[in-house]
Amino acid sequence: MSLNDSILTLVTFLPLAGAVLLMLSPRRDREIRWFALVITLFTFVLSLHLPAHFDSSKAGFQFETNLPWITSPNIHYHIAIDGISLWLVVLTTFLTPLCVLLSWKNIHGEAKEFFVLLLALETAMIGVFVSLDMFLFYVFWESTLIPMALLIGIYGHDRRVYAAVKFFLYTMVASVFMLAAILWLYGKTGSFDYTTVQAAIRSGQVEGLGYVAVWLFLGFFIAFAVKVPLFPFHTWLPDAHVEAPTAGSVLLAGVLLKMGTYGLLRFNVGFFPEQSRIHAPWIMALAVIGIIYGALVALVQPNVKKLIAYSSVSHLGFVVLGIFALNTAGADGAVYQMLSHGVSTGALFALAGILYDRRHTYEIKEFGGLAATMPRYATLFLFITLASVGLPLLNGFVGEFLILSGAFSAKAIYGVLAASGVILSAGYLLWLYQRVFFGKVTQPVNLTLQDITPREQAVIWPLMAAALVMGVAPSLFLQQIEPSVLGTLQGVAATAARMLPTISSLGPLGGR
Amino acid sequence: MTANLHLWLIPLLPLLGAAINGVLGKRFSRQLVSAVGLAGSGSAFLYALWVAAQYSAIKAAMPIVETLAPWIQAGSFRADFNFQLDQLSFLMLLIVTGVGFLIHVYSVGYMWDEGGYYRFFAYLNLFLFFMLMLILAGNYLLMFIGWEGVGLASYLLIGFYFTKDSAANAGKKAFIVNRIGDFGFLIALFLLIQHFGTLDYAALATKVSQLGVEAGWGVLSIIGVLLMVGAAGKSAQIPLYVWLPDAMEGPTPVSALIHAATMVTAGVYMVSRSHVIFDRAPQALMVVAVIGCATAFFAATIGICQTDIKKVLAYSTVSQLGYMFLGCGVAAYSAGVFHLMTHAFFKGLLFLAAGSVIHSLGGEQDMRRMGGLRKEIPWTFWTMTAGTFAIAGFPFFAGYYSKDMILWKASQQSMILFGFGLLTAFITSFYMFRLWFMTFFGERAPVEAGHGHDDHGHGTGHAHESGWFMLLPLIVLAVLSVIGGWMVGGGDGFEKFLTPVFGAPAEVAEAAGSLSEGAVSAMATVAFLLGFGLAWFLYVRRKRIPAQIAENLGGLYSAVLNKYWVDEIYAAVIVNPMVAISRSVLWRGVDQKIIDATLDDAAAGANQLSDEVRKMQSGNIRSYAAWVTAGAVVVIGYMMWMGAAR
Amino acid sequence: MVPISYYLGLSAALFISGVAGFLLKRNIITIFMSIELMLNAVNLSFVAFAAQLHNLNGQVFVFFVMVVAAAEAAVGLAIIIAVYRTRNTLNVDQVDLLKL
Amino acid sequence: MTPNEISYSHILPEVVLSVFGMLIMLAEPLLGERASRKPLGYLAFAGTLAAIAATFVQGQNPGFAFWHMVHVDSFSTFFHLLVLGITALVILISFDYVEEETVHAGEYYGLVLLGAVGMCLMSSAVELVLIFVALEISSIASYVLTGIRRKSAAGAEAALKYFLLGSFATAFFLFGVAMMYGATGSTNIPEIAVALGKGNIPGLVYVGMALMFVGLGFKIASAPFHVWTPDVYEGAPAPIVGFMSTAPKAAVFAVMLRIILQTGAPGWLYLIWGSAVLSMTLGNLGALVQNNVKRMLAYSSIAQAGYILVAFAAAPQEGTSAVMFYTLCYAAMNVGAFAVITFFSGKDERLVHLDDFSGLGTTSPLLAFTLTIFLLSLIGIPLTGGFLAKFYVFQVALKANMVWLTIIGVVNSAVAAYYYLRLVVVMYMRPAPEGAVRVSAPLPMRLALLAAAAATLYLGILPSGVLNYTEEAAAQMLAAPATKVVAEQ
Amino acid sequence: MELLLFWVFAAICIGGALNLLAQKHPINSALSLVVVMASLAVEYLLLGAEFVAAVQVIIYAGAIMVLFIFVIMLLNAGEEPHGGKTSMVAKLVGIPALAILAVMLVWSLGTQAGGSVAVAGAEPGPPQVIARLLFNDFLLPFEVTSVLVLIAIMGAVVLAAPLKPHHAEQILEHLKSGGQN
């Protein structure tokens, strides 16, 4: 058996194996930290095998493993990746070791459990992206909840319990609708297999779908929309972020939110192209509202993390907008923006955490003039801010540009309105930067703050490098993303042709 | 095909300089930092000169497009790292690297005593990198990199004195206002993509040129207007000019380089670059012309009353940029670009000289506290004089040629545009000489110490001449300001040079009522003289009159003095409501009061319901039995009904 | 001849009386007696049905019901004693510590 | 082997249990007054194990016996094993409880075992009278066990409530049996099936079904017959709650399946539909604000019964399988949860308030961890039996096109997360009270906890074997041949 | 004749049941119940179930009711006690439900059950036939009742056995403190 056959399983479950080992090990924090770091780094290195051996000429799924798991109901251990999930997996494995580094010394409580949860979370997150069996997908999907909720609830800040419960319940309640939809599909097709079900739907073999399709679509949609989170389902996010420990925020923003957008693309668009087309207008409208709304609210936040959290609402609005533009540019951009947001917002949260480690507060008014006392930190922060703002040549721009142009060709007004979010993002982030770093140092305690340490730099530099690479050489990623995106959008193109025979083209940005 | 020019190296050189200074500069000595910074800009300038040396050889092959690597590919859309060299970008290349290098030299002297010296040079190099990307880009998206990038560099440099709130605010304001412009630019790009599927200049030109001139508001007109929105942001045109005066918070070399000579002209460059589109969109052109003309006039009037020497120059810049757009707007792109070039010379010079003045006074920027400086700092005085005469349109100085050309072209389009242009020329002459007289003539007012923006820490006792690092660029630019117009053969010569880009100038039909070139020149010269005279009269002869006028005009004067309250209006109409609405309506309202509260209510409702449900559990056995009986009744009733319905 | 439905009607009436006793009486022992009444009502049905069906199974059931009733009586009365011992009352309305 | 003869192998587990029950009663006086009562527990445990072994023997001889009184098939074997497994666990967790609370150990273990006899018998009985007697055995044993803590006023009250209302419900059940008898001329399930199969179903059958449903619905604590549950569970001893919230319920579900599905009785679908909806909703709503953990779990058990009824409503074969699987998972997690409470609540069960569990994650990691597994399973988080069971149930329901039922069910299960989560939150996210010491459970308790946790996880991760078994058993049960009449011909 | 007997004893039966409800003192109620049981025995006779009738008198009236009366005496239960919160639910929900239940049951049993004209008292239930049934067809339930009885005995013993004195005090104290458990 070559590595290609088992690599995905390895990557997925290595962290979990590490977690189990950690659970059994004695409470020696130092060793535990190093062990967690080694495991996550090793997972990352292993996961690099995926892009290295990924055949970007193929649109289908690769590195496939398909074993029967439960015979009745017919459930398989079916995992594989395509261009869409490939980089999300790598993003996950990339961010986790950084989170370990970030949590090196600032855990309030037992380090052992913390890292156990972190590693378990990694497995669950990877699992979501690689599962092709919907049952398995749902299992991983829900499995992310527990470690994340515990990370927030145990290791978080003052209102951690409230935030953890809110996070848990929001997601839980929403995802049962997805469960219902999955079950319905299983009832009609007898399979949980993504490709099988998709084929059945596309060939019109699913009996009774016509009238239920809209409800299935909404079932999936609500689960993913809450996770994204799309306006108006977003209010759990700021609370969760503010209370979460830094590593939790990084993974929450970096990966967990992507699960929602990933699901929208994979399931809503992949399964229900016709419904996607029908519902795209209001979903795009929600996305646009989210973009502007998130940005405006971010503008007035008095708390660094909350601000970044609302900025996530705004940025992920872009992703949803891109997905439901239902054309190549939009979807390409959406997938790209997922990665890019993972890097830049992950980095922003990491930086906020570094600040928190020094001052134990996120209140913006507590800071000011830090550029003088922490110049290196200020520089790195600026870099990441600019990446987040969408400065060309950094990661944010590519995704935003593609999404906006996709949205524009889908429906111009959405593109125009969403583009205004670009202005606002500059507004709130630069204002944040100004308030934190510029001006005179107003609080004496800020005069003695330690500049960023080598360990912390080891977290930020890889993120900056990623931001730069993604900004300068997006083709590296897009070449693998695009065939899969095209594959997913095939159905849309087909229904478009069916529904509107005269306007079958998707504009110049449509399929090749 | 000519030999590969490796155009990509040109922007890369300053980037290298920026990277080195940025990463390592903190440990470098000032000398080393200067060396790296100068090497970054100087090498680019040398490279540009090397390219220029081959001009005759490569002229035929222009436009030369060199593709370095693919950048973004999605669907059928692609944008590469490709660089284009034609006469227009060639010219810009020389201006930017040349002026840029000079200002780098000047900065060595000017910034020597400042903290964050390495940072300054890193930013400056970074700016050059982006600016060069902007002008050398072979497609709009790549241009957008530079476009945003210069905004960034501008942000960083304006906010260079970051401990000062006003500086930080100004930087942010510049970036955001620029972004508003970029918004228009982006939309224009999307429209281009949607309709033409490409952003490549060459490919676009081919596709667009197949279309005819639009009669009304077609796609091209809309694209044109949107491009103009972008240009207005970058080039500080109405209504997006507000950031530029504030940007004077930056160190003076920055004002000279970015906010006078190069970056702010990017809009003009972009409009010229898009002439294929504008040529077919007369409506859009008209918008450009009107905005340009209005800005020119409006900013000039504000310039009259400003007392801060840099602010005067800033409004003057806005005004001059308006001229350039006026030129472009009447389809005289070469005139616009010509003025761009001469303006780079004289405005760069004026700023640097002003910087020298400020420097010599230990940071004083208020002209009311200046006076009589011509003896104390003669080099600065004479170079500044050259600049002042150039901008005011003294015959055969650089500004004379370019302004002349724009006015003449405008006169062929519309007498109203021409009239305002001429009026502006008069006002320009007036406020420039006002500045000149107030600064260098008369007596210096007694000064209290400790004022000023560039916190130099010099005493303010005796003004002293700047060092050679600063004077040398002044002298070079002064020479260029004097001979720059003549050197290129005046408007005609310049137009001929750019013909391959913009096409041959339309034959001017000497229609009835239109003015001859000579007449326009004469009128411009008269305007210059009037302005000079008035300034002399008011600020040398009858110094008390300005105050009386100010009193008599009352409201109008204070309107002009306060820049027509535009900033305040923006704040009151847009910014404050937006922040207030975001805070009280969206965040505390929608988020907390509606969404969260709804959910909380739902949760509380569930809890209440739970309490109600719990009341079933009264603890009393008989009540339980009652429930069971009631349940049994329902069950039996249902089943009986089923049985009956069978 | 007595129609079988008369017996059944009587059975129903007794059953209802039993239910009514449970719902209306306060003394725990009386309530328990009401339950016995209900069981008796059922017994009557069994016997009546047995007669109707010419099938003696119904009568056999009655024995089982009686045994069960006896067992319930034993345990039930023991429970009542236990309650009385801890509460010192036989009022069913006062046995409501556990609630909500 | 003909169905009309005495065959002790068909009731072997019951015989074994009864024998051990009596042995315990005999053994108790032999122990000294002050001696530990644990040997009785060991004896009871051994009895359960022996009964489990006996079940396998019993399973070798499928078919009718005792004049069509019992029918041994995979279905009955499944419920035998389930009941016996629960019994074994409950006995394990009772060892120390019995010592601490000084209850009468002989009666305690004896009643548990003899109660189990009734439950086992219910699952294999195919005759309403036998079912009735078996049901009463299990009920009366439960009444007594509820009140067995004689020092506890709450225990006595709970026993009284349970007893009075239980007898009340039994009377309804019995009346239903009488009507079925009157309408069909038989109380034997296969025979009733034949009678009903002839068509022209008399109206009395419907009323009889309704009355039986009242009685059985009471026993499984499904709404609207659930009102007794919280009070009784709160007052009863914790291990016994674990016992009676699972084993008799499982047995009654077996009975319901047999009665409703084997007889092919009409009209019950929406009855169960409604009861399922009400149970889930009322149970979950009631649990939302409970601060007493036992009471909270009582409400939760109402809701869980609702989920099982969802499967019931679905479809004959898969529905049956789902009911079986759900009861199994529910047994594992609920017994587990009550095991933790049994141990943690301490003497006189003082510590059952939510706040008492503060910081359990640090003071007793094993206890907290296992309880978390059980709670997550009760919520229905993947990789636990509870999830798979719910998943299976809802899947079956959707397959039967019960869309609304499924939606109500899934929404309920999501809302329910809240109150289970509260406990998890308290254990892990609140600090332990001052002076809390690390406590560790005694060995039998640990064994029980680990067994329950392992079962919960096993059922969630590798359920294939069990699922295959339940599906086959369901098929067998539904295809059950053969009436007395047919068999005799 | 049979009809007359039926009506007479049915009336006694119902009267006894109503009296059970009406009486305040449990002893009176218990005696009413004995009346009901005795008259039921007569009804059984009418239905041809002599053996059942005999057992009814012996077990029910003779054994079970004696047990009841014994307990009433033991606990010295007096007049129906008052106090405590009477349940509104029992009245508001219970009584209407009761009424409906009555209508439904009487209607369904009175009209739906088989033919309304049935052979009553036709086939006597000879004890030997019943015995055969009991020890063949119903052998298993019969044997199982032994377990039931055993449980009942154990239960009665464990619940009714006297408490040790100090336990009783504890309970009283606990009750006074108003706590639960």
Side-chain angles (χ1 to χ4, degrees), chain A residues 166 170 234-235 293 296 301 310 382 386 389 392 401 404 416 422 430-431 434 438-439 471-472 474-475 482 508, chain B residues 71 74-76 81 141 144 148 152 156 162-163 169 172 175 179 183 190 193-194 582 586-587 591 596 599:
Chain A
K166 197 169 175 182
Y170 251 84
H234 64 279
T235 54
Y293 181 92
L296 285 176
Q301 291 306 312
Y310 276 107
L382 182 66
L386 294 170
V389 164
F401 177 78
L404 288 174
V416 172
V422 176
L430 290 181
W431 196 26
Q434 180 191 351
F438 290 162
V472 175
S475 322
E482 189 164 301
Chain B
W71 182 28
S76 57
F81 285 108
L141 205 60
F144 194 71
E148 286 273 294
L152 163 71
L156 293 171
F162 59 79
T163 50
N169 275 328
K172 185 187 58 166
F175 197 84
R179 275 248 157 167
F183 169 70
F190 296 147
I193 295 174
Q194 195 182 19
S582 298
L586 295 185
W587 180 35
D591 241 41
D596 263 2
L599 291 164

Side-chain angles (χ1 to χ4, degrees), chain B residues 482-548:
Chain B
V482 176
I483 64 164
W486 167 80
M487 184 177 69
V488 297
D492 292 343
F494 195 79
E495 200 165 25
K496 216 167 282 160
F497 176 74
L498 285 178
T499 301
V501 181
F502 299 126
E507 279 304 316
V508 181
E510 290 281 344
S514 75
L515 299 164
S516 72
E517 198 170 354
V520 172
S521 297
M523 290 162 85
T525 310
V526 170
F528 159 76
L529 288 174
L530 279 175
F532 178 85
L534 189 62
W536 176 79
F537 181 71
L538 291 177
Y539 293 95
V540 179
R541 286 296 299 223
R542 297 269 191 276
K543 284 191 177 177
R544 243 169 293 141
I545 294 182
Q548 286 168 1

Side-chain angles (χ1 to χ4, degrees), chain C residues 58 61 72 87 98-100, chain D residues 129 136 157 161 187 295:
Chain C
F61 299 155
E72 272 189 1
R87 287 289 164 79
L98 301 167
K99 60 183 156 196
L100 295 180
Chain D
V129 169
E136 278 303 294
E157 181 182 330
K161 282 180 172 168
T187 50
R295 213 172 161 81

Side-chain angles (χ1 to χ4, degrees), chain D residues 217-238:
Chain D
F218 178 90
K219 299 288 176 193
I220 57 171
S222 70
F225 315 112
H226 66 284
V227 272
W228 57 279
T229 324
D231 293 4
V232 173
Y233 284 11
E234 188 184 344

Side-chain angles (χ1 to χ4, degrees), chain A residues 400-472:
Chain A
E400 271 175 20
F401 177 78
L402 288 175
I403 288 169
L404 288 174
S405 73
F408 192 85
S409 51
K411 201 151 171 43
I413 183 67
Y414 290 142
V416 172
L417 288 173
S420 69
V422 176
I423 304 174
L424 292 169
S425 79
Y428 57 77
L429 278 172
L430 290 181
W431 196 26
L432 167 73
Y433 192 80
Q434 180 191 351
R435 283 177 293 169
V436 173
F437 292 97
F438 290 162
K440 298 199 168 53
V441 179
T442 48
Q443 309 259 351
V445 60
N446 288 338
L447 283 171
T448 54
L449 293 185
Q450 187 195 10
D451 205 346
I452 190 163
T453 66
R455 173 176 63 79
E456 289 158 350
Q457 293 200 32
V459 177
I460 305 299
W461 278 104
L463 289 167
M464 285 171 54
L468 192 62
V469 170
M470 288 182 69
V472 175

Side-chain angles (χ1 to χ4, degrees), chain B residues 27-86:
Chain B
R27 288 170 218 151
F28 286 178
S29 67
R30 270 161 208 260
Q31 284 80 0
L32 193 51
V33 169
S34 322
V36 171
L38 290 180
S41 54
S43 57
F45 182 44
L46 285 176
Y47 204 110
L49 288 178
W50 176 75
V51 171
Q54 302 179 58
Y55 176 69
S56 53
I58 57 177
K59 185 175 160 191
M62 279 185 182
I64 299 165
V65 179
E66 294 180 2
T67 303
L68 178 63
W71 182 28
I72 300 179
Q73 282 171 286
S76 57
F77 171 76
R78 64 179 291 158
D80 294 334
F81 285 108
N82 61 352
F83 298 91
Q84 173 170 343
L85 188 73
D86 60 2

Side-chain angles (χ1 to χ4, degrees), chain D residues 85-103:
Chain D
I86 296 168
T87 313
L89 281 183
V90 168
I91 289 170
L92 273 183
I93 62 178
S94 302
F95 283 178
D96 291 272
Y97 186 86
V98 168
E99 296 283 297
E100 200 164 64
E101 302 282 330
T102 61
V103 297

